[in-house]
Amino acid sequence: MVLEPTATDEAESLATALHAYLSESGFSFTGLTGKETTQTITLAVAGWAKAAGWRSRAETPMRYIDPPRPISWGCRVHWSPPWSAYLDLRLLRKGGPPIAVEIDREDDSTAVEKLRDEALRGRPAVWLRWHGALRTEVPAGVARLHLPTRSTKSPTRYSLARVPDEGAIVFGGPVSPEARADAERRDKQRVEEEERVAALPRQPGPIRCY
């Protein structure tokens, strides 16, 4: 199976191809912990990438487009969003931009922000959401593939009987040229801001709170 890259807003077709791969391979699991479930889904996506002739890289660094802002927290200061983040998977292919993949159990994560920014940079973004209610709106350029698992209590274990046939994929629509141009401008400003902060003198020692 060889998938040829098309336009940069191809996340929906990629999610559809991944959905077909999981369905045809009879992807399922039973009685896994949350960590084990994420690992199992990650291996399945890596297997799909390998079948397509691509390479997969786990926990690859990425940068948010908007510059982080310093936020005071007591006598400490932290940056929001952080200067750097990591994608669960980045799929590398010849002749096309890399594919950003996030795998999450709930909506309450930074996956949406990371994938949104990757899509604005012209990189297809696929979000695998398993378990939990779907509340978050899917950004432009991002496709969400839902795997509705079942869970037990005491201890919590997750199972997926099969990949659903319909309603599993939601696409946020294509990224407009105007949005991409604006993102390029802001991305450049972010790099300049990072260079400025890096050039600042380092603060002396830890700060004590009284």
Side-chain angles (χ1 to χ4, degrees):
M1 178 181 65
V2 178
L3 297 175
E4 295 296 332
T6 55
T8 52
D9 287 315
E10 59 178 333
E12 185 176 24
S13 62
L14 289 167
T16 301
L18 175 56
H19 176 269
Y21 173 86
L22 295 176
S23 298
E24 293 167 4
S25 63
F27 179 69
S28 63
F29 51 84
T30 303
L32 301 183
T33 65
K35 182 178 181 180
E36 290 169 343
T37 300
T38 298
Q39 291 173 339
T40 298
I41 297 173
T42 300
L43 288 174
V45 177
W48 169 65
K50 183 177 180 181
W54 307 332
R55 292 177 295 143
S56 59
R57 294 288 181 269
E59 295 298 318
T60 57
M62 64 82 60
R63 292 176 174 176
Y64 295 103
I65 288 178
D66 291 322
R69 300 300 180 192
I71 298 178
S72 297
W73 188 18
C75 63
R76 297 179 180 274
V77 174
H78 72 280
W79 297 90
S80 180
W83 282 106
S84 62
Y86 293 86
L87 291 168
D88 291 335
L89 282 174
R90 192 184 293 279
L91 308 183
L92 308 176
R93 53 193 181 153
K94 295 181 179 179
I99 303 164
V101 179
E102 282 284 292
I103 302 168
D104 289 283
R105 177 170 50 188
E106 303 287 350
D107 278 357
D108 300 330
S109 71
T110 57
V112 171
E113 289 78 13
K114 289 186 284 187
L115 293 176
R116 176 203 62 206
D117 285 6
E118 287 293 284
L120 286 171
R121 291 186 173 103
R123 300 166 185 167
V126 178
W127 188 21
L128 276 85
R129 266 282 283 107
W130 60 275
H131 205 68
L134 303 176
R135 301 180 302 272
T136 301
E137 183 177 352
V138 180
V142 178
R144 183 184 64 203
L145 172 55
H146 184 221
L147 301 177
T149 60
R150 294 182 177 276
S151 64
T152 62
K153 294 183 179 180
S154 300
T156 303
R157 294 291 185 269
Y158 300 93
S159 300
L160 177 70
R162 66 180 181 85
V163 177
D165 295 328
E166 298 180 356
I169 298 172
V170 174
F171 180 49
V175 176
S176 69
E178 294 79 12
R180 183 159 295 137
D182 178 66
E184 290 177 356
R185 175 186 60 80
R186 290 187 289 118
D187 208 3
K188 181 179 179 181
Q189 291 177 340
R190 183 208 183 286
V191 172
E192 293 173 349
E193 178 68 6
E194 183 176 4
E195 293 174 349
R196 184 191 69 80
V197 172
L200 294 175
R202 301 179 71 91
Q203 295 297 321
I207 300 175
R208 293 185 178 183
C209 299
Y210 295 97

